[in-house]
Amino acid sequence: MHTLVNKGDLTEEEVVERLYGKDYTPSYPAYRALKGRLRDLLTTAIMDDNVYSSNYRTYDSALVNGYQQLNLITLLMNRRAWQSVKYLAHLTLRRVQEYEILPINSRLTSILAGLYLGVGFDEKQFLKYQEQSDYYAEAEQVLNKVTSYYREMRRLIYAHKLLPNEIGSKVAEFVAECEPLVVKYPKVSAMQATFYIMKVHGLTLLGNYLEAIQTANRAETVLLGCKGAGYQSLSLMALTRVECSVKLRDFKEGYLQVKRARTMIAENSINDLKLSEYAITLGLQTGHFDYAYEQLAQVDRRALDRMLKQQHVEYWLILEAYINILVLAGKIDPEKMNGKLPDFKLYKFVNNVPSYSKDKQGMNVQILILQVIYFIIQKQYGKIIDRTDALARYGSRYLMNNENLRNNCFFKLLLTAEKCNFHRAATTRKSNKTYQKMTSPQAKLLGRANSTEIVRYETLWEVVLDNLETTSTDGRKLRARAK
């Protein structure tokens, strides 16, 4: 039949006539059965070639090609081509099984168990694949539970209805429930990655940054033990270690973690930009401003515009604005830096507030702070006075909860400077109580959870005081602030 069809110059009626004689038509049952069998054999041959020729060297390629083969196997099952199904299910399972892609492995082992039970009964083979099928079915239930809890964690974070430590406590409960289940499936990379990402996030929300770093290290070891562990998951663990170092304000640890992460993250990828963001923030929060400047100078500006949404681009503008404020305040000498930043119109930035104006408890706080400090350095006190009432209302309306304690205190410090007519000594005396509150252990602990504080407020207050007036309106020297 294949030879006749392959000639290409015969109609179907002529093929039937050659096979069975003049009295038979294409509706003849024997012909239809033969035709279906030939179709199944050809499909099997094509799939067989695809299984061997397809790339299964990585987790992602095994995922794509495994699903493709599974779909074709399902098609053959619908045509009741049982022998072809059995052959190809065996072949595909051998290629993908070690990657522990649960939906694929679960379906293939279930198919094989069913075939050895219902098509050519083989008890030994049935028990083998039924055991595997049960294993993968249970593993899928655990993965679904972990994934559900992970999504719930993200919902709580995005909803902003609970404080970070409250979310962290809930996540700790999720982790405690899932951990004894997850440990049974050490080679399932999707499950291990989701679980450890949730666990590390929970620890950071609780402020346990050292434990989070240790857990991220453990996660990396576990994931590297999985065949074809997801590159994205390993990158996230590397970024988490850097983020926790930033939260700890540990420059030495952060510097080492940044260098380590550079070897694990693709250059000019979205994760590479995130790593640069953390590196710049690390320098700004630990007082290593030269490091922050040089990290920013290395960033590919085209990658920023190409890969980030507008709001994220504006966040980078805030980072750049802070570095330029520090240059303006004399904290950074651009002439001594390796690499140079492009021209940045600081006056234009502070007079054109980006879209963060809607983020009342987030980055809008930093934009307002940048505006006031810029005007103080430039001695443009009138522009600050014009904003005084708005600043006071803003602080009382949006910054009264514990998480914003340091933000609120720093706003009050700026308002104190205005009330003291921008005189250094008077401002130092009047602001002492608020400054002590802002630098209290409680405020610092709460401040670690607040990701909006880019440059430590102690440093910014020093910049403010250094740029306030030292004489009264009549030219008389005022008492210098205590060193």
Side-chain angles (χ1 to χ4, degrees):
M1 181 179 181
H2 180 264
T3 302
L4 293 172
V5 171
N6 205 38
K7 286 184 176 181
D9 57 354
L10 297 176
T11 65
E12 189 172 17
E13 288 74 11
E14 289 172 331
V15 170
V16 175
E17 182 181 336
R18 295 279 187 96
L19 288 172
Y20 298 103
K22 294 182 178 180
D23 297 332
Y24 295 90
T25 67
S27 62
Y28 181 46
Y31 169 75
R32 292 174 61 188
L34 183 63
K35 181 179 177 182
R37 178 63 178 152
L38 177 60
R39 184 187 298 112
D40 292 342
L41 287 171
L42 290 173
T43 304
T44 301
I46 293 170
M47 288 176 61
D48 189 7
D49 181 64
N50 285 341
V51 172
Y52 277 112
S53 64
S54 297
N55 178 6
Y56 291 85
R57 290 191 295 270
T58 68
Y59 183 95
D60 290 342
S61 61
L63 181 72
V64 172
N65 291 313
Y67 269 117
Q68 184 180 47
Q69 301 305 326
L70 185 57
N71 289 336
L72 290 171
I73 288 170
T74 302
L75 176 64
L76 284 176
M77 287 181 66
N78 292 333
R79 299 193 59 78
R80 307 176 68 83
W82 305 122
Q83 294 304 316
S84 297
V85 168
K86 183 185 293 186
Y87 171 73
L88 290 168
H90 274 295
L91 189 60
T92 304
L93 185 62
R94 282 205 304 271
R95 305 303 299 274
V96 303
Q97 189 166 18
E98 287 188 341
Y99 290 105
E100 295 283 35
I101 305 170
L102 296 181
I104 297 177
N105 287 2
S106 178
R107 181 61 179 147
L108 288 173
T109 52
S110 178
I111 288 171
L112 288 168
L115 289 173
Y116 282 114
L117 180 64
V119 182
F121 176 66
D122 185 324
E123 185 176 18
K124 182 179 178 180
Q125 290 291 87
F126 165 73
L127 291 174
K128 171 186 174 181
Y129 287 109
Q130 184 60 44
E131 182 180 2
Q132 292 184 16
S133 179
D134 290 342
Y135 169 85
Y136 288 123
E138 292 171 4
E140 280 193 288
Q141 289 182 350
V142 176
L143 178 58
N144 290 338
K145 179 185 286 289
V146 172
T147 303
S148 178
Y149 280 145
Y150 172 78
R151 289 171 179 162
E152 175 63 9
M153 178 189 73
R154 301 308 304 179
R155 184 192 70 80
L156 292 171
I157 292 171
Y158 296 150
H160 295 295
K161 293 179 180 179
L162 297 176
L163 292 175
N165 64 308
E166 293 174 329
I167 300 174
S169 296
K170 286 186 175 293
V171 174
E173 295 175 6
F174 301 160
V175 169
E177 182 179 344
C178 293
E179 195 151 23
L181 303 174
V182 169
V183 74
K184 298 177 183 178
Y185 308 99
K187 302 298 183 181
V188 182
S189 60
M191 181 191 299
Q192 296 296 333
T194 305
F195 171 75
Y196 273 105
I197 291 170
M198 178 171 66
K199 185 174 183 178
V200 169
H201 270 302
L203 291 169
T204 59
L205 289 164
L206 288 170
N208 298 333
Y209 302 117
L210 281 175
E211 188 178 351
I213 292 174
Q214 294 166 358
T215 302
N217 286 332
R218 170 63 181 158
E220 183 177 320
T221 301
V222 171
L223 289 171
L224 288 174
C226 302
K227 183 175 176 62
Y231 171 81
Q232 183 72 10
S233 300
L234 292 171
S235 297
L236 286 174
M237 290 301 122
L239 287 174
T240 296
R241 289 192 292 266
V242 177
E243 180 187 12
C244 290
S245 301
V246 173
K247 295 287 188 181
L248 287 168
R249 297 194 173 100
D250 186 336
F251 180 76
K252 183 178 180 181
E253 177 69 20
Y255 178 81
L256 293 174
Q257 292 293 353
V258 169
K259 288 188 67 176
R260 181 181 175 189
R262 291 283 184 209
T263 65
M264 303 174 67
I265 294 175
E267 188 175 356
N268 287 331
S269 65
I270 189 70
N271 283 341
D272 189 34
L273 289 179
K274 192 65 180 179
L275 178 58
S276 294
E277 176 191 315
Y278 284 149
I280 295 164
T281 306
L282 174 69
L284 291 175
Q285 293 209 348
T286 59
H288 291 77
F289 303 135
D290 291 356
Y291 177 80
Y293 182 102
E294 292 175 351
Q295 289 294 312
L296 180 59
Q298 295 173 18
V299 172
D300 185 338
R301 299 308 175 107
R302 290 171 298 179
L304 278 177
D305 295 333
R306 184 176 68 252
M307 288 190 283
L308 298 183
K309 294 181 180 179
Q310 183 59 32
Q311 187 172 351
H312 293 118
V313 171
E314 289 172 355
Y315 176 75
W316 278 80
L317 289 175
I318 293 173
L319 292 178
E320 191 162 5
Y322 263 116
I323 288 176
N324 279 274
I325 280 283
L326 293 169
V327 171
L328 192 62
K331 298 290 185 180
I332 300 174
D333 184 354
E335 298 302 320
K336 297 179 180 180
M337 297 298 100
N338 294 319
K340 299 297 178 184
L341 293 180
D343 290 338
F344 185 81
K345 306 299 183 183
L346 193 54
Y347 70 91
K348 183 178 180 181
F349 174 85
V350 298
N351 284 290
N352 292 277
V353 179
S355 63
Y356 276 111
S357 58
K358 296 180 181 179
D359 185 15
K360 298 303 183 184
Q361 297 184 47
M363 285 298 110
N364 193 47
V365 174
Q366 298 305 313
I367 292 173
L368 295 173
I369 289 171
L370 280 164
Q371 288 179 314
V372 173
I373 294 176
Y374 175 78
F375 293 141
I376 287 175
I377 294 174
Q378 296 296 96
K379 309 299 182 185
Q380 297 177 11
Y381 301 130
K383 291 187 177 181
I384 300 173
I385 294 170
D386 290 343
R387 289 167 168 76
T388 299
D389 290 341
L391 286 172
R393 288 196 302 272
Y394 190 98
S396 61
R397 184 174 181 181
Y398 297 112
L399 306 179
M400 294 305 291
N401 59 41
N402 286 335
E403 185 183 349
N404 280 291
L405 178 58
R406 278 175 63 85
N407 289 340
N408 184 270
C409 287
F410 194 72
F411 262 50
K412 289 180 179 178
L413 291 177
L414 295 176
L415 292 171
T416 301
E418 187 272 330
K419 291 175 182 177
C420 294
N421 295 317
F422 306 103
H423 292 161
R424 181 187 297 173
T427 300
T428 302
R429 285 196 309 273
K430 295 287 187 181
S431 64
N432 184 62
K433 185 177 179 179
T434 302
Y435 184 83
Q436 293 302 320
K437 184 177 181 180
M438 185 182 75
T439 57
S440 67
Q442 179 194 10
K444 288 184 177 180
L445 181 62
L446 293 168
R448 282 186 176 182
N450 186 351
S451 60
T452 63
E453 186 177 338
I454 296 174
V455 177
R456 297 182 69 188
Y457 290 148
E458 291 86 343
T459 300
L460 294 180
W461 187 235
E462 181 182 327
V463 169
V464 169
L465 292 176
D466 284 345
N467 285 276
L468 294 180
E469 304 295 338
T470 58
T471 59
S472 65
T473 53
D474 60 4
R476 178 171 51 85
K477 284 281 183 180
L478 294 173
R479 180 159 53 93
R481 65 188 176 94
K483 296 291 186 182

